[in-house]
Amino acid sequence: MPTPELTIYYDGSCPLCRREIAFYRRLRGAERLQWLDVSLGTDLGDDLSCEAAMRRFHVRDAQGRLLSGGAAFARLWRALPGWRLAGWLLAWPPMSWLLEWAYRAFLPLRPRLQRLARHLWPEPEVRA
């Protein structure tokens, strides 16, 4: 398989993350991207631990550059045709700084939002 334009590392154990990634995966252009659920213990490379990938959103471009947080979202959006303009605008300072600030403000809220999401969208029971 050719090197994907972008590899997206996401926490598949997080109900918020799963829903967001499912949204992105339905968009035009998403088939060119590689989507890796880091909660499955996949090898992420020497420069990204599973623990770091579970704490923050990361993407890796085709040249091997690793981006995280707001910069990773801006790069993902640039890879999706309907989101390119937003991705380019939010990659440009001072907008990139604002995006990173908003992402960092969200991170402490994430555990509570995950609990709420699990309550609102419970996983279906698996029957043997």
Side-chain angles (χ1 to χ4, degrees), residues 49-88:
S49 70
C50 185
E51 181 184 359
M54 294 286 280
R55 277 196 321 270
R56 281 178 64 90
F57 181 66
H58 289 77
V59 301
R60 185 183 308 278
D61 68 16
Q63 292 73 39
R65 287 184 295 256
L66 188 64
L67 302 166
S68 74
F73 277 103
R75 181 60 186 91
L76 169 59
W77 297 333
R78 288 194 310 272
L80 298 168
W83 290 71
R84 283 197 178 122
L85 180 59
W88 281 112

Side-chain angles (χ1 to χ4, degrees), residues 23-114:
F23 169 78
Y24 291 134
R25 291 182 83 161
R26 288 190 299 271
L27 296 176
R28 185 170 51 93
E31 69 281 352
R32 295 185 329 270
L33 310 178
Q34 182 178 17
W35 306 86
L36 290 179
D37 179 352
V38 299
S39 70
L40 300 176
T42 308
D43 180 29
L44 308 177
D46 293 337
D47 58 348
L48 181 61
S49 70
C50 185
E51 181 184 359
M54 294 286 280
R55 277 196 321 270
R56 281 178 64 90
F57 181 66
H58 289 77
V59 301
R60 185 183 308 278
D61 68 16
Q63 292 73 39
R65 287 184 295 256
L66 188 64
L67 302 166
S68 74
F73 277 103
R75 181 60 186 91
L76 169 59
W77 297 333
R78 288 194 310 272
L80 298 168
W83 290 71
R84 283 197 178 122
L85 180 59
W88 281 112
L89 289 174
L90 291 169
W92 175 67
M95 296 303 292
S96 62
W97 306 332
L98 183 59
L99 180 59
E100 180 62 23
W101 176 85
Y103 182 73
R104 286 181 185 208
F106 162 78
L107 288 178
L109 303 175
R110 183 177 171 215
R112 282 176 276 191
L113 293 172
Q114 287 173 324

